[in-house]
């Protein structure tokens, strides 16, 4: 029966293709049908890849203490290899005036806007040149600057010899604390200048230290030693101490997996106590009365984390949201007895209230799409940036009454108005049942804007990174989120959150431990089965693709199944054991899933797509950045060459200077264009 149905579908598609070719010949003469087809973006308003990657990114909304004004960042892509243009904007929270940009030189980058405690000044990090710069003085590029609330001419506050990476005001506004990277010693700088620059691994690191100055940046002094890496700071409300996240090493591995939270004196940096030796990357924050500290602690294997509250006076810790069936993403203190933040349940972010006394969660407002920052004013007003299905992230606000009443966001900005004219696809939440254990599996389905039931569609399954990550129901258009670009061109795109993803609690996220391939892939197949059973996905025209872990799962899929016509393998882990020993996060990332690489080599091999490369028979596109330190390019090279040896059709594109997560506009455009072109050819 299935063979007969498949043959009938092939016949129908063949007739449709013939009809389309005849129409094109009639309208364009005796040319070849494919060559005469007009580009979709020219025919019906579908944006090109360049138009998609040129979208501006809005984030980091910071509401003033009185709730009147929101400062936020806008990042604009620039061509020809130039860095993105980074600017700070301001908008009134009542929406009665248009957003205003803080002027800056074209060569400068502004970021991290933060209000002074009294709200009269807005400070930020910037690479703009000082107005009276003395070129003989050692002054790094990134410094703390400040301006008045109305955006008067900014002035620099710090003159650090090393780049400033973060800062915070004391609660009374009389002192400034900042983190700055130690510059190379004069001897080391001289060696580097003459190319005598051998690096002793683990010994030649430049540490980030905590500095304290007065409110004008004067009398700066280092508060932490030169061999301690400081990653985050929170100044206690009484100004007497700091909570710091620190490590003995420099690098992402230490920051993510081997850091501690400690308390130190604001007077002399003396150690006052240790909160945890297994800190996660979550930001630190004191309650307004200074009696409790919000921090994050890693789970037992490093791929989950729990937000906690520590009370120094009683030396007690409270784990937050342990009974809530989702994943906490961010939290801030609203008052001494309430934390407010964002959590992901299924594919939907929610604005939450969390009790710091017992960790209980109350869902306040359901949101849609990725959240790019959240802040609270003293009157309880919330500012946030997040993207809806029809629009990339923008700045919005809710009053305290709207938050408590489950009200809707009032939108204040429209940074990418061009998207209103795009024929965007239909975004739908999906839930299906795992055939392995009956668990619910969540995902997102994006369909063409004019799709009607009964129409079979070419379909891409796009897997997300991580695996501890998740797709959200919301905006899905960028160089790495392909769903809208494809849906506007007539494809269905399934975005599954299989076991190992965020959104269903730590136990669900931990299901990928020891199993990156079989279990998650079956969850994906179950979702695809549902689409085919509903008459949405054409079984003969299904592809799979993704970036990072999404690339891994795509490589795994075509080595373990014949369901897919092609695969797109972006920046993918291919040999897990080799990856564990060559990545820039070697200690707990893969070992957290598979154990000691020297002792568990069989388990690593069983979870490596390279071991099934001989089974891949469909065309594969491999994409990889040459400067990827997270997943070294040798991983992509292995898969490419293995498929060549196997006689499998394969193409590989290398991106010079490309890191794991691309930043250059032209490379982002090229990735999206190749994805669209590849699927057009093979589906």
């Amino acid at each position: 029966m299935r063979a007969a149905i498949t043959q009938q579908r092939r016949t129908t598609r063949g007739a449709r293709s013939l009809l389309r070719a005849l129409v094109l010949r009639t309208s364009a003469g005796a040319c070849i049908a494919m060559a005469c087809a007009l580009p979709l973006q020219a025919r019906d308003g579908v944006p090109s890849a360049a138009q998609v990657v040129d979208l501006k990114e809005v984030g980091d909304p910071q509401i003033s203490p009185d709730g009147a004004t929101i400062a936020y960042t806008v990042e604009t892509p620039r061509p020809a290899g130039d860095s993105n243009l980074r600017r700070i904007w301001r908008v009134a929270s009542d929406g009665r005036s248009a957003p205003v940009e803080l002027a800056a030189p074209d060569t400068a980058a502004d970021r991290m806007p933060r209000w002074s405690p009294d709200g009269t000044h807005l400070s930020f990090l910037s690479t703009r040149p000082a107005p009276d710069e003395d070129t003989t003085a050692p002054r790094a590029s990134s410094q703390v600057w400040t301006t008045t609330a109305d955006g008067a001419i900014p002035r620099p506050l710090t003159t650090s010899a090393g780049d400033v990476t973060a800062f915070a005001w004391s609660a009374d506004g009389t002192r400034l604390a900042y983190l700055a990277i130690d510059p190379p010693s004069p001897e080391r700088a001289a060696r580097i200048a003459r190319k005598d620059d051998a690096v002793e691994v683990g010994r030649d690191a430049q540490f980030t230290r905590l500095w304290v100055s007065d409110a004008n940046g004067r009398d700066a002094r280092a508060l932490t030693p030169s061999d301690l890496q400081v990653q985050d700071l929170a100044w206690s409300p009484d100004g007497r101490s700091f909570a710091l996240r620190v490590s003995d090493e420099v690098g992402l591995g230490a920051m993510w997996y081997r850091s501690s939270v400690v308390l130190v004196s604001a007077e002399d940096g003396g150690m006052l106590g240790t909160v945890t030796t297994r800190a996660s990357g979550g930001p630190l924050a004191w309650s307004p009365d200074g009696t409790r500290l919000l921090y994050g602690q890693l789970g037992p294997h490093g791929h989950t984390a729990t937000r906690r509250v520590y009370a120094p006076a009683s030396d007690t810790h409270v784990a937050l949201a342990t009974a809530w069936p989702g994943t906490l993403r961010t939290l801030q203190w609203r008052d001494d007895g309430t934390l407010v933040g964002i959590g992901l349940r299924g594919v939907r972010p929610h604005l939450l209230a969390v009790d710091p006394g017992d960790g209980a969660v109350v869902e306040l407002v359901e949101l849609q799409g990725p959240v790019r920052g959240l802040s609270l004013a003293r009157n309880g007003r919330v500012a946030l940036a997040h993207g809806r299905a029809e629009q990339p992230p923008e700045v919005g606000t809710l009053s305290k009454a709207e938050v408590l009443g489950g009200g809707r966001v009032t939108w204040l900005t429209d940074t990418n108005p061009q998207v209103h004219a795009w024929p965007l696809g239909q975004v739908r939440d999906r839930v299906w049942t795992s055939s392995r254990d009956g668990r619910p599996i969540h995902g997102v389905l994006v369909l063409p804007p004019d799709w009607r039931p009964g129409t079979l569609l070419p379909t891409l399954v796009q897997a997300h990174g991580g695996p501890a990550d998740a797709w959200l129901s919301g905006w899905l258009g960028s160089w790495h989120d392909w769903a809208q670009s494809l849906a506007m061109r007539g494809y269905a795109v399934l975005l599954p959150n299989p076991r190992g993803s965020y959104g269903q609690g730590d136990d669900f996220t931990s299901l990928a431990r020891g199993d990156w391939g079989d279990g998650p892939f079956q969850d994906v197949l179950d979702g695809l089965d549902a689409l085919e059973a509903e008459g949405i996905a054409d079984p003969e025209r299904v592809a799979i693709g993704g970036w990072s872990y999404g690339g891994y799962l795509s490589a795994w899929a075509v080595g373990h199944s014949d369901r897919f016509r092609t695969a797109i393998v972006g920046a993918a882990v291919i040999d897990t054991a080799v990856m564990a020993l060559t990545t820039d996060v070697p200690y707990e990332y893969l070992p957290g899933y598979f154990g000691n690489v020297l002792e568990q080599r069989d388990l690593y091999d069983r979870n490596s797509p390279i071991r099934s490369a001989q089974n891949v028979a469909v065309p594969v596109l491999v994409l990889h950045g040459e400067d990827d330190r997270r997943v070294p390019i040798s991983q992509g090279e292995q898969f490419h060459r293995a498929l060549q040896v196997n006689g499998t059709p394969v193409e590989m594109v290398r991106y010079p200077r490309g890191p794991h997560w691309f930043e250059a506009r032209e490379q982002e455009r090229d990735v999206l264009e190749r994805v669209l072109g590849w699927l057009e050819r093979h589906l």
Side-chain angles (χ1 to χ4, degrees):
M1 177 64 71
R2 180 177 176 86
I5 293 173
T6 299
Q7 182 59 45
Q8 181 180 9
R9 287 173 176 164
R10 286 174 176 165
T11 302
T12 302
R13 287 199 302 275
R16 289 173 179 164
S17 298
L18 178 59
L19 177 61
R20 177 173 179 268
L22 289 172
V23 170
L24 286 168
R25 286 191 180 96
T26 301
S27 61
C31 59
I32 299 174
M34 287 300 294
C36 292
L38 295 175
L40 279 172
Q41 58 266 31
R43 188 169 64 241
D44 57 9
V46 174
S48 66
Q51 289 173 300
V52 172
V53 302
D54 280 341
L55 291 171
K56 299 176 180 179
E57 294 187 16
V58 173
D60 198 12
Q62 298 293 317
I63 194 166
S64 58
D66 63 3
T69 307
I70 301 170
Y72 61 99
T73 59
V74 176
E75 189 169 332
T76 303
R78 292 196 287 191
D82 290 342
S83 299
N84 289 354
L85 185 70
R86 293 174 171 87
R87 290 289 181 266
I88 292 172
W89 288 65
R90 302 181 315 283
V91 64
S93 61
D94 61 10
R96 294 181 181 178
S97 58
V100 178
E101 179 182 357
L102 181 63
D106 286 345
T107 57
D110 294 347
R111 64 183 181 90
M112 196 178 174
R114 297 294 184 269
W115 294 96
S116 62
D118 62 5
T120 61
H121 286 74
L122 179 67
S123 300
F124 54 97
L125 293 181
S126 180
T127 61
R128 59 180 73 200
D132 55 350
E133 185 168 4
D134 180 357
T135 57
T136 64
R139 180 184 182 277
S141 174
S142 179
Q143 302 288 343
V144 181
W145 286 66
T146 192
T147 183
T148 54
D150 60 2
I153 298 175
R155 61 184 178 88
L157 285 181
T158 59
T159 56
S160 173
D163 283 321
V164 179
T165 60
F167 67 96
W169 289 99
S170 61
D172 61 7
T174 63
R175 289 173 291 170
L176 177 71
Y178 58 93
L179 303 182
I181 303 171
D182 278 347
S185 66
E187 295 78 13
R188 175 69 177 163
R191 285 177 51 202
I192 293 173
R194 64 175 183 265
K195 301 298 187 290
D196 180 17
D197 52 1
V199 176
E200 295 185 9
V201 176
R203 294 185 180 180
D204 284 331
Q206 293 171 239
F207 285 82
T208 298
R209 304 170 73 185
L210 171 65
W211 292 73
V212 177
S213 72
D214 68 14
N216 292 305
R218 295 187 295 257
D219 302 323
R221 56 191 176 91
L223 207 62
T224 55
S226 59
D227 58 352
L228 184 70
Q229 178 75 358
V230 184
Q231 298 145 354
D232 191 18
L233 76 156
W235 207 328
S236 65
D238 63 9
R240 296 178 180 177
S241 64
F242 285 99
L244 304 177
R245 183 156 51 87
V246 300
S247 62
D248 295 328
E249 302 174 60
V250 173
L252 286 175
M255 182 182 74
W256 286 356
Y257 300 118
R258 299 187 311 285
S259 61
S260 301
V261 174
V262 298
L263 305 179
V264 302
S265 166
E267 178 61 30
D268 58 12
M271 184 69 68
L272 301 177
T274 299
V275 178
T276 180
T277 58
R278 283 186 55 79
S280 71
L284 307 171
W286 289 97
S287 59
D289 63 6
T291 63
R292 291 185 280 193
L293 174 72
L294 174 68
Y295 71 98
Q297 179 157 308
L298 285 176
H301 305 294
H303 47 264
T304 60
T306 304
R307 303 309 303 276
R308 296 186 173 216
V309 168
Y310 172 62
S314 59
D315 194 30
T316 56
H317 303 255
V318 175
L320 306 178
T322 56
W324 186 65
T327 304
L328 277 182
R329 304 303 290 263
T330 182
L331 284 174
Q332 294 185 17
W333 293 95
R334 186 175 69 194
D335 50 49
D336 295 328
T338 309
L339 290 152
V340 172
I342 299 295
L344 177 67
R345 180 166 60 81
V347 295
R348 292 275 179 156
H350 291 72
L351 187 65
L352 309 172
V354 182
D355 187 330
D358 60 11
V361 172
V362 175
E363 295 182 359
L364 301 173
V365 180
E366 183 179 81
L367 303 170
Q368 186 183 42
V371 177
R372 298 290 185 244
L374 172 92
S375 63
L376 285 74
R378 289 172 183 156
N379 61 9
R381 180 173 288 277
V382 173
L384 73 166
H386 82 88
R388 295 148 285 169
E390 69 277 9
Q391 193 164 17
E394 295 288 350
V395 175
T397 183
L398 295 102
S399 68
K400 184 175 181 178
E402 289 169 332
V403 169
L404 297 177
R408 293 186 176 184
V409 176
T410 299
W411 297 103
L412 303 174
T413 64
D414 189 15
T415 311
N416 294 288
Q418 66 272 31
V419 303
H420 302 312
W422 294 358
L424 296 170
Q426 308 172 41
V427 178
R428 302 183 179 184
D429 300 1
R430 299 279 296 189
V431 182
W432 58 93
T433 301
S434 165
S435 62
R436 291 172 64 94
D437 52 21
R439 296 175 185 271
I441 306 298
H442 293 259
V444 180
L445 175 65
V446 186
L447 296 167
D450 56 353
W451 179 81
R452 295 292 181 269
T455 306
L456 289 175
L457 297 171
T459 300
L460 173 73
V461 176
Q462 186 177 0
H464 62 65
D469 203 344
W471 291 113
L472 279 68
S473 178
W475 180 254
L476 292 161
S478 70
W479 73 270
H480 53 84
D481 294 339
W482 307 327
Q484 280 292 359
S485 290
L486 288 167
M488 288 186 283
R489 288 167 169 79
Y491 295 81
V493 182
L494 176 64
L495 306 163
N497 288 340
R499 63 195 61 221
S501 304
Y502 289 148
Q504 295 197 62
D506 287 354
D507 289 345
F508 186 81
T509 302
S510 296
L511 290 175
R513 188 165 182 263
D515 179 15
W516 269 26
D518 286 335
F521 181 50
Q522 186 57 54
D523 292 341
V524 170
L525 289 181
D526 291 338
L528 180 58
D529 287 342
L531 287 191
E532 293 182 0
E534 292 176 37
I536 297 173
D538 183 345
E540 300 300 319
R541 293 187 294 166
V542 178
I544 189 167
W547 202 265
S548 195
Y549 175 75
Y552 165 96
L553 202 57
S554 301
W556 180 274
V558 290
H560 291 80
S561 171
D562 62 359
R563 297 282 294 275
F564 303 95
R565 287 272 298 273
T566 186
I568 299 170
V569 177
V573 181
I574 298 299
D575 188 320
T576 57
V578 173
M579 161 76 175
L581 296 172
T582 56
T583 179
D584 63 351
V585 285
Y587 297 100
E588 290 195 37
Y589 173 53
L590 282 168
Y593 285 101
F594 304 120
N596 186 305
V597 66
L598 303 181
E599 299 172 357
Q600 302 291 335
R601 188 58 183 260
D602 287 347
L603 181 59
Y604 278 82
D605 284 349
R606 289 200 300 274
N607 283 274
S608 294
I610 195 68
R611 306 303 169 199
S612 57
Q614 71 279 3
N615 300 329
V616 180
V618 297
V620 174
L621 175 63
V622 178
L623 306 170
H624 219 117
E626 290 187 350
D627 286 350
D628 191 340
R629 298 186 61 206
R630 193 73 23 80
V631 182
I633 193 171
S634 58
Q635 295 284 308
E637 290 172 333
Q638 285 186 69
F639 200 53
H640 176 234
R641 292 173 185 173
L643 296 185
Q644 284 183 320
V645 170
N646 195 50
T648 303
V650 59
E651 295 182 16
M652 181 173 183
V653 181
R654 306 165 60 102
Y655 293 91
R657 305 168 306 283
H660 188 61
W661 206 245
F662 284 9
E663 300 169 353
R665 184 259 188 195
E666 304 304 343
Q667 293 185 339
E668 294 177 354
R669 172 195 53 76
D670 188 85
V671 167
L672 186 53
E673 285 180 347
R674 289 184 188 274
V675 168
L676 298 174
W678 185 265
L679 293 177
E680 178 70 19
R681 285 167 55 191
H682 294 285
L683 291 190

